[in-house]
Coordinates of all heavy atoms in Angstrom, one line a residue:
L30 N 254.1 80.4 140.6 CA 253.7 79.7 141.7 C 254.7 79.6 142.7 O 254.4 79.8 144.0 CB 253.2 78.2 141.2 CG 251.9 78.1 140.5 CD1 251.8 76.6 140.0 CD2 250.7 78.6 141.4
R31 N 255.9 79.6 142.4 CA 257.0 79.6 143.3 C 257.1 80.9 144.1 O 257.3 81.1 145.3 CB 258.4 79.4 142.7 CG 258.5 77.9 142.0 CD 258.9 76.9 143.1 NE 259.0 75.7 142.3 CZ 258.4 74.5 142.7 NH1 257.6 74.5 143.7 NH2 258.6 73.5 141.9
R32 N 256.8 82.1 143.3 CA 256.9 83.4 143.9 C 255.7 83.5 144.9 O 256.0 84.0 146.0 CB 256.6 84.5 142.8 CG 256.8 85.9 143.5 CD 256.7 86.8 142.3 NE 255.2 86.8 141.9 CZ 254.6 87.8 141.4 NH1 255.2 89.0 141.2 NH2 253.3 87.7 141.0
V33 N 254.6 83.0 144.6 CA 253.5 83.1 145.6 C 253.8 82.1 146.8 O 253.5 82.6 148.0 CB 252.1 82.5 145.0 CG1 251.1 82.4 146.0 CG2 251.7 83.5 143.8
E34 N 254.6 81.1 146.6 CA 254.9 80.3 147.6 C 255.8 80.9 148.6 O 255.7 80.8 149.8 CB 255.6 78.9 147.1 CG 256.2 78.0 148.1 CD 256.8 76.9 147.5 OE1 257.5 77.0 146.4 OE2 256.9 75.7 148.2
G35 N 256.7 81.7 148.0 CA 257.6 82.5 148.8 C 256.9 83.7 149.5 O 257.2 83.8 150.7
Q36 N 255.9 84.1 148.9 CA 255.2 85.2 149.5 C 254.5 84.6 150.7 O 254.3 85.3 151.9 CB 254.2 85.9 148.6 CG 254.8 86.8 147.6 CD 253.8 87.4 146.7 OE1 253.1 86.5 146.0 NE2 253.8 88.6 146.4
I37 N 253.8 83.5 150.6 CA 253.0 82.9 151.7 C 254.0 82.4 152.9 O 253.7 82.8 154.2 CB 252.3 81.6 151.3 CG1 251.3 81.9 150.1 CG2 251.6 80.8 152.4 CD1 250.3 82.9 150.5
R38 N 255.3 81.9 152.6 CA 256.2 81.7 153.6 C 256.6 82.9 154.4 O 256.7 83.0 155.6 CB 257.5 81.0 153.1 CG 257.3 79.5 152.9 CD 258.6 78.8 152.7 NE 258.6 78.4 151.2 CZ 259.4 79.0 150.3 NH1 260.2 79.9 150.6 NH2 259.2 78.6 149.0
G39 N 256.7 84.0 153.6 CA 257.0 85.4 154.2 C 255.8 85.8 155.1 O 256.2 86.4 156.1
I40 N 254.6 85.7 154.7 CA 253.5 86.1 155.5 C 253.4 85.3 156.8 O 253.2 85.7 157.9 CB 252.2 85.8 154.7 CG1 252.2 87.0 153.5 CG2 251.0 86.1 155.6 CD1 251.0 86.6 152.6
I41 N 253.7 84.0 156.7 CA 253.8 83.0 157.9 C 254.8 83.6 158.9 O 254.5 83.7 160.0 CB 254.1 81.6 157.5 CG1 252.8 81.0 156.7 CG2 254.3 80.9 158.8 CD1 253.2 79.8 156.2
Q42 N 255.9 83.9 158.4 CA 257.0 84.5 159.2 C 256.6 85.8 159.9 O 256.8 86.0 161.1 CB 258.3 84.7 158.4 CG 259.1 83.3 158.1 CD 260.4 83.7 157.3 OE1 260.4 84.7 156.7 NE2 261.2 82.7 157.3
M43 N 256.0 86.6 159.1 CA 255.5 87.9 159.6 C 254.5 87.8 160.7 O 254.6 88.5 161.8 CB 255.0 88.8 158.5 CG 255.9 89.3 157.5 SD 255.0 90.1 156.1 CE 254.8 91.7 156.8
V44 N 253.6 86.8 160.6 CA 252.6 86.5 161.7 C 253.4 86.0 162.8 O 253.0 86.5 164.0 CB 251.5 85.6 161.1 CG1 250.6 85.1 162.2 CG2 250.6 86.3 160.0
E45 N 254.2 85.0 162.7 CA 254.9 84.4 163.8 C 255.8 85.4 164.5 O 255.9 85.3 165.7 CB 255.7 83.3 163.3 CG 255.0 82.0 162.8 CD 255.8 80.9 162.2 OE1 257.0 81.2 161.9 OE2 255.3 79.9 162.0
Q46 N 256.1 86.4 163.8 CA 257.1 87.4 164.5 C 256.3 88.6 165.1 O 256.8 89.6 165.6 CB 258.0 88.0 163.4 CG 259.1 87.0 162.9 CD 259.9 87.6 161.7 OE1 259.6 88.7 161.2 NE2 260.8 86.8 161.3
G47 N 255.0 88.5 164.8 CA 254.0 89.5 165.4 C 254.2 91.0 164.6 O 253.9 92.0 165.3
R48 N 254.5 90.9 163.4 CA 254.6 92.1 162.6 C 253.3 92.9 162.6 O 252.3 92.3 162.7 CB 255.1 91.8 161.2 CG 256.4 91.0 161.1 CD 257.6 92.1 161.2 NE 257.5 93.0 160.1 CZ 258.2 92.9 158.8 NH1 258.8 91.7 158.6 NH2 258.1 93.8 158.0
Y49 N 253.5 94.2 162.2 CA 252.3 95.1 162.1 C 251.2 94.6 161.2 O 251.7 94.2 160.1 CB 252.9 96.4 161.8 CG 251.9 97.6 161.9 CD1 251.2 97.9 162.9 CD2 251.7 98.4 160.7 CE1 250.3 99.0 163.0 CE2 250.9 99.5 160.7 CZ 250.2 99.7 161.9 OH 249.2 100.8 161.8
C50 N 250.0 94.7 161.7 CA 248.9 94.1 160.9 C 248.8 94.7 159.5 O 248.6 94.0 158.5 CB 247.6 94.3 161.6 SG 247.5 93.4 163.1
V51 N 249.0 95.9 159.3 CA 248.9 96.6 158.0 C 250.0 96.0 157.1 O 249.6 95.7 155.9 CB 249.1 98.1 158.1 CG1 249.1 98.8 156.8 CG2 247.9 98.7 158.9
D52 N 251.2 95.7 157.6 CA 252.3 95.1 156.8 C 251.9 93.7 156.4 O 252.1 93.4 155.1 CB 253.6 95.2 157.6 CG 254.1 96.5 157.8 OD1 253.9 97.5 157.0 OD2 254.9 96.6 158.8
V53 N 251.2 92.9 157.2 CA 250.8 91.6 157.0 C 249.8 91.7 155.9 O 249.9 90.9 154.8 CB 250.4 90.9 158.2 CG1 249.9 89.4 157.8 CG2 251.5 90.6 159.2
L54 N 248.8 92.4 156.1 CA 247.7 92.6 155.1 C 248.2 93.1 153.7 O 247.7 92.6 152.7 CB 246.6 93.6 155.5 CG 245.8 93.0 156.8 CD1 244.9 94.1 157.4 CD2 245.0 91.8 156.4
T55 N 249.1 93.9 153.7 CA 249.8 94.3 152.5 C 250.3 93.1 151.6 O 250.2 93.0 150.5 CB 250.8 95.4 152.7 OG1 250.2 96.6 153.3 CG2 251.4 95.9 151.4
Q56 N 251.0 92.4 152.4 CA 251.6 91.1 151.8 C 250.5 90.0 151.4 O 250.6 89.4 150.3 CB 252.6 90.5 152.8 CG 253.9 91.3 152.9 CD 254.5 91.6 151.6 OE1 254.8 90.9 150.8 NE2 254.8 93.0 151.6
V57 N 249.5 90.0 152.1 CA 248.4 89.1 151.8 C 247.7 89.5 150.5 O 247.4 88.8 149.6 CB 247.4 89.0 152.9 CG1 246.2 88.3 152.5 CG2 247.9 88.2 154.2
Q58 N 247.5 90.9 150.4 CA 246.9 91.4 149.1 C 247.8 91.2 148.0 O 247.4 90.8 146.9 CB 246.6 92.9 149.3 CG 245.5 93.2 150.3 CD 245.4 94.6 150.8 OE1 246.3 95.4 150.4 NE2 244.3 95.0 151.3
A59 N 249.2 91.2 148.2 CA 250.0 91.0 147.0 C 250.1 89.5 146.6 O 250.0 89.3 145.4 CB 251.5 91.3 147.4
A60 N 250.0 88.7 147.5 CA 249.9 87.3 147.2 C 248.5 86.8 146.4 O 248.4 86.2 145.6 CB 250.0 86.4 148.5
R61 N 247.4 87.5 147.0 CA 246.1 87.3 146.3 C 246.2 87.8 144.9 O 245.6 87.2 144.0 CB 245.0 88.0 147.1 CG 244.7 87.3 148.4 CD 243.7 88.0 149.2 NE 242.4 88.2 148.5 CZ 241.4 89.0 148.7 NH1 241.5 89.8 149.8 NH2 240.3 89.0 147.9
S62 N 246.8 88.9 144.7 CA 246.9 89.6 143.4 C 247.7 88.6 142.5 O 247.4 88.4 141.3 CB 247.5 90.9 143.4 OG 247.7 91.5 142.1
A63 N 248.8 88.0 143.0 CA 249.6 87.1 142.1 C 248.8 85.9 141.9 O 248.9 85.3 140.8 CB 250.9 86.8 143.0
L64 N 248.1 85.3 142.8 CA 247.3 84.2 142.6 C 246.2 84.5 141.5 O 245.9 83.7 140.6 CB 246.6 83.6 143.8 CG 247.5 82.8 144.8 CD1 246.8 82.6 146.1 CD2 247.9 81.5 144.0
A65 N 245.6 85.7 141.5 CA 244.5 86.0 140.5 C 245.2 86.1 139.2 O 244.6 85.7 138.2 CB 244.0 87.4 141.0
S66 N 246.4 86.5 139.1 CA 247.1 86.6 137.8 C 247.2 85.2 137.2 O 247.1 84.9 136.0 CB 248.4 87.5 137.9 OG 249.1 87.4 136.7
I67 N 247.7 84.3 138.1 CA 247.9 83.0 137.7 C 246.5 82.3 137.2 O 246.4 81.6 136.2 CB 248.6 82.1 138.9 CG1 249.9 82.6 139.1 CG2 248.5 80.6 138.5 CD1 250.6 82.1 140.4
E68 N 245.6 82.5 138.0 CA 244.3 82.1 137.7 C 243.8 82.5 136.3 O 243.2 81.7 135.5 CB 243.2 82.4 138.8 CG 241.8 82.0 138.4 CD 240.8 82.5 139.5 OE1 241.1 83.6 140.0 OE2 239.9 81.8 139.8
R69 N 243.9 83.9 136.1 CA 243.6 84.4 134.7 C 244.3 83.6 133.6 O 243.8 83.3 132.5 CB 243.8 85.8 134.6 CG 242.7 86.7 135.4 CD 242.9 88.1 135.0 NE 244.2 88.7 135.5 CZ 244.5 89.1 136.7 NH1 243.6 89.1 137.6 NH2 245.7 89.6 137.0
G70 N 245.5 83.5 133.8 CA 246.4 82.7 132.8 C 246.0 81.4 132.5 O 245.9 80.8 131.3
V71 N 245.8 80.6 133.6 CA 245.3 79.2 133.3 C 244.0 79.1 132.8 O 243.7 78.3 131.8 CB 245.3 78.5 134.8 CG1 244.8 77.1 134.7 CG2 246.8 78.4 135.3
L72 N 243.0 80.0 133.2 CA 241.7 80.0 132.5 C 241.8 80.4 131.1 O 241.2 79.8 130.3 CB 240.8 81.1 133.3 CG 239.4 81.3 132.9 CD1 238.7 79.9 133.0 CD2 238.8 82.2 133.7
E73 N 242.6 81.3 130.7 CA 242.9 81.8 129.3 C 243.4 80.5 128.5 O 242.9 80.3 127.4 CB 243.8 83.0 129.2 CG 244.0 83.4 127.7 CD 244.9 84.6 127.7 OE1 245.0 85.5 128.7 OE2 245.5 84.8 126.7
T74 N 244.4 79.9 129.1 CA 244.9 78.7 128.5 C 243.9 77.6 128.2 O 243.9 77.0 127.1 CB 246.1 78.1 129.2 OG1 247.2 79.1 129.3 CG2 246.7 76.9 128.6
H75 N 243.1 77.5 129.3 CA 242.0 76.4 129.2 C 241.0 76.8 128.1 O 240.6 76.0 127.2 CB 241.2 76.3 130.5 CG 240.1 75.4 130.4 ND1 240.3 74.0 130.3 CD2 238.8 75.5 130.6 CE1 239.1 73.4 130.3 NE2 238.2 74.3 130.5
A76 N 240.7 78.1 128.1 CA 239.6 78.4 126.9 C 240.2 78.4 125.5 O 239.6 77.9 124.7 CB 239.3 80.0 127.1
N77 N 241.5 78.8 125.4 CA 242.2 78.7 124.1 C 242.5 77.3 123.6 O 242.8 77.1 122.4 CB 243.5 79.6 124.1 CG 243.1 81.1 124.1 OD1 242.0 81.5 123.7 ND2 244.0 81.8 124.8
A78 N 242.7 76.4 124.5 CA 243.1 75.0 124.2 C 242.0 74.0 124.3 O 241.4 73.6 123.3 CB 244.3 74.5 125.0
C79 N 241.5 73.8 125.5 CA 240.6 72.8 125.8 C 239.2 73.1 125.2 O 238.5 72.3 124.5 CB 240.4 72.5 127.3 SG 241.9 71.9 128.1
V80 N 238.7 74.3 125.4 CA 237.4 74.7 124.8 C 237.5 74.8 123.5 O 236.5 74.4 122.7 CB 236.9 76.0 125.7 CG1 235.6 76.5 125.0 CG2 236.8 75.8 127.2
A81 N 238.5 75.4 122.9 CA 238.6 75.5 121.5 C 238.6 74.2 120.8 O 238.1 74.0 119.7 CB 239.9 76.3 121.1
D82 N 239.3 73.2 121.4 CA 239.3 71.9 120.8 C 238.0 71.3 120.8 O 237.6 70.6 119.8 CB 240.3 71.0 121.7 CG 241.7 71.3 121.4 OD1 242.1 71.9 120.4 OD2 242.6 70.7 122.2
A83 N 237.2 71.5 121.9 CA 235.8 70.9 121.8 C 235.0 71.6 120.7 O 234.3 70.9 120.1 CB 235.2 71.2 123.2
V84 N 235.1 73.0 120.6 CA 234.3 73.6 119.7 C 234.7 73.0 118.2 O 233.9 72.8 117.4 CB 234.5 75.2 119.7 CG1 234.0 75.9 118.5 CG2 233.9 75.7 121.1
N85 N 236.0 72.9 118.0 CA 236.5 72.5 116.7 C 236.1 71.1 116.3 O 236.2 70.6 115.2 CB 238.0 72.8 116.5 CG 238.3 74.2 116.5 OD1 237.5 75.1 116.0 ND2 239.5 74.6 117.0
S86 N 235.9 70.2 117.3 CA 235.6 68.8 117.1 C 234.4 68.7 116.3 O 234.1 67.5 115.9 CB 235.5 68.2 118.5 OG 234.3 68.4 119.2
G87 N 233.4 69.6 116.5 CA 232.2 69.4 115.9 C 231.2 68.4 116.7 O 230.0 68.2 116.3
D88 N 231.6 67.9 117.8 CA 230.8 67.1 118.7 C 230.0 67.9 119.7 O 230.5 68.6 120.6 CB 231.8 66.1 119.6 CG 231.2 65.2 120.5 OD1 230.0 65.4 120.9 OD2 231.7 64.2 120.7
A89 N 228.7 68.0 119.4 CA 227.8 68.8 120.2 C 227.9 68.6 121.7 O 227.9 69.5 122.6 CB 226.5 68.7 119.6
G90 N 227.9 67.3 122.1 CA 228.0 66.9 123.5 C 229.3 67.4 124.1 O 229.2 67.9 125.2
K91 N 230.4 67.2 123.4 CA 231.7 67.7 123.9 C 231.7 69.2 124.0 O 232.2 69.7 124.9 CB 232.8 67.2 123.0 CG 234.2 67.4 123.5 CD 235.2 66.8 122.5 CE 236.5 66.9 123.1 NZ 237.5 66.3 122.1
Q92 N 231.2 69.8 123.0 CA 231.0 71.4 123.1 C 230.2 71.8 124.2 O 230.6 72.7 125.0 CB 230.5 72.0 121.8 CG 231.3 71.6 120.6 CD 230.4 71.8 119.3 OE1 229.4 72.0 119.2 NE2 231.3 72.0 118.2
A93 N 229.1 71.2 124.4 CA 228.2 71.6 125.6 C 228.8 71.5 126.9 O 228.8 72.3 127.7 CB 226.8 70.8 125.4
A94 N 229.5 70.3 127.1 CA 230.2 69.9 128.3 C 231.4 70.9 128.6 O 231.5 71.4 129.7 CB 230.8 68.6 128.3
K95 N 232.2 71.3 127.6 CA 233.2 72.2 127.8 C 232.7 73.7 128.1 O 233.2 74.4 129.0 CB 234.1 72.3 126.6 CG 235.1 71.1 126.6 CD 236.0 71.0 127.8 CE 236.8 69.7 127.8 NZ 237.6 69.5 128.9
L96 N 231.6 74.0 127.4 CA 231.0 75.4 127.6 C 230.5 75.4 129.2 O 230.6 76.4 129.8 CB 230.0 75.7 126.5 CG 230.6 76.0 125.3 CD1 229.6 76.3 124.2 CD2 231.6 77.2 125.2
K97 N 229.9 74.3 129.4 CA 229.3 74.3 130.9 C 230.5 74.5 131.8 O 230.3 75.1 132.8 CB 228.4 73.0 131.0 CG 227.9 72.9 132.5 CD 227.2 71.6 132.6 CE 226.5 71.5 134.0 NZ 225.9 70.3 134.2
E98 N 231.5 73.7 131.6 CA 232.6 73.7 132.5 C 233.2 75.2 132.6 O 233.5 75.5 133.6 CB 233.7 72.7 131.9 CG 234.9 72.6 132.8 CD 236.0 71.7 132.1 OE1 236.5 72.0 131.0 OE2 236.1 70.5 132.5
L99 N 233.4 75.8 131.4 CA 234.0 77.0 131.3 C 233.1 78.0 132.1 O 233.5 78.9 132.8 CB 234.1 77.5 129.9 CG 234.7 79.0 129.7 CD1 236.1 79.0 130.4 CD2 234.8 79.2 128.3
T100 N 231.7 77.9 131.9 CA 230.8 78.9 132.6 C 231.0 78.7 134.0 O 230.8 79.7 134.8 CB 229.3 78.6 132.1 OG1 229.3 78.7 130.8 CG2 228.3 79.4 132.8
E101 N 231.1 77.4 134.6 CA 231.1 77.1 136.0 C 232.5 77.9 136.5 O 232.5 78.5 137.6 CB 231.1 75.8 136.3 CG 231.3 75.2 137.7 CD 230.3 75.8 138.8 OE1 229.2 76.3 138.3 OE2 230.6 75.8 139.9
L102 N 233.6 77.6 135.8 CA 234.9 78.3 136.2 C 234.7 79.8 136.2 O 235.2 80.4 137.3 CB 235.9 77.8 135.3 CG 236.5 76.3 135.2 CD1 237.3 76.1 134.0 CD2 237.2 76.1 136.6
L103 N 234.1 80.3 135.3 CA 234.0 81.8 135.4 C 233.0 82.2 136.5 O 233.4 83.3 137.2 CB 233.4 82.3 134.0 CG 234.3 82.2 132.8 CD1 233.6 82.6 131.6 CD2 235.5 83.1 132.9
R104 N 232.0 81.5 136.8 CA 231.1 81.9 137.9 C 231.9 81.9 139.2 O 231.8 82.7 140.1 CB 230.0 81.0 137.9 CG 228.8 81.3 139.0 CD 227.8 80.3 139.0 NE 228.1 78.9 139.4 CZ 228.4 78.6 140.7 NH1 228.4 79.4 141.7 NH2 228.8 77.4 141.0
R105 N 232.7 80.8 139.4 CA 233.4 80.6 140.6 C 234.5 81.7 140.7 O 234.7 82.2 141.8 CB 234.1 79.2 140.8 CG 233.0 78.1 141.0 CD 233.7 76.7 141.3 NE 234.9 76.6 140.6 CZ 235.1 75.3 140.1 NH1 234.2 74.3 140.2 NH2 236.1 75.0 139.4
A106 N 235.1 82.0 139.6 CA 236.1 83.1 139.6 C 235.6 84.5 139.9 O 236.3 85.3 140.4 CB 236.9 83.1 138.2
M107 N 234.3 84.7 139.7 CA 233.7 86.0 139.9 C 233.2 86.2 141.3 O 232.7 87.2 141.6 CB 232.7 86.3 138.8 CG 233.2 86.3 137.5 SD 231.9 86.3 136.2 CE 231.9 88.0 135.7
R108 N 233.3 85.1 142.2 CA 232.7 85.2 143.6 C 233.5 86.3 144.4 O 234.7 86.5 144.3 CB 232.8 84.0 144.2 CG 231.9 83.0 143.8 CD 231.9 81.7 144.6 NE 231.0 80.7 143.9 CZ 231.0 79.5 144.4 NH1 231.7 79.1 145.5 NH2 230.3 78.5 143.9

């Protein structure tokens, strides 16, 4: 997250300095890629911890709620 924060600050500076659009877009794409990587990691952790705990709990309501939550997260991530 700190790396992405630095990338965003760099993009802001590039825009303020009127840098070449292609250079700015290249940095935006790099920041988006880094955020996507973070998103995948957090989603994987959520599935392996929170969702797995619900499945292992044996509580059908808790299982359904976590699976619904996971499905919604995946749907939003695929937009």
Side-chain angles (χ1 to χ4, degrees):
L30 288 172
R31 299 274 185 236
R32 185 180 68 153
V33 173
E34 179 184 31
Q36 286 176 309
I37 300 300
R38 275 192 255 107
I40 293 167
I41 291 168
Q42 287 179 337
M43 291 175 78
V44 170
E45 289 173 346
Q46 294 169 357
R48 296 279 296 273
Y49 186 54
C50 295
V51 172
D52 294 337
V53 174
L54 290 170
T55 298
Q56 292 307 310
V57 169
Q58 291 168 347
R61 288 178 59 197
S62 177
L64 281 172
S66 178
I67 293 166
E68 180 182 29
R69 284 189 301 273
V71 173
L72 185 57
E73 183 178 335
T74 298
H75 178 65
N77 289 329
C79 301
V80 176
D82 286 345
V84 169
N85 293 330
S86 74
D88 180 332
K91 190 175 183 181
Q92 292 168 347
K95 285 296 175 188
L96 289 175
K97 180 179 178 185
E98 179 182 74
L99 181 60
T100 302
E101 176 61 22
L102 286 169
L103 290 171
R104 185 182 65 74
R105 289 191 318 224
M107 297 168 105
R108 285 186 193 172

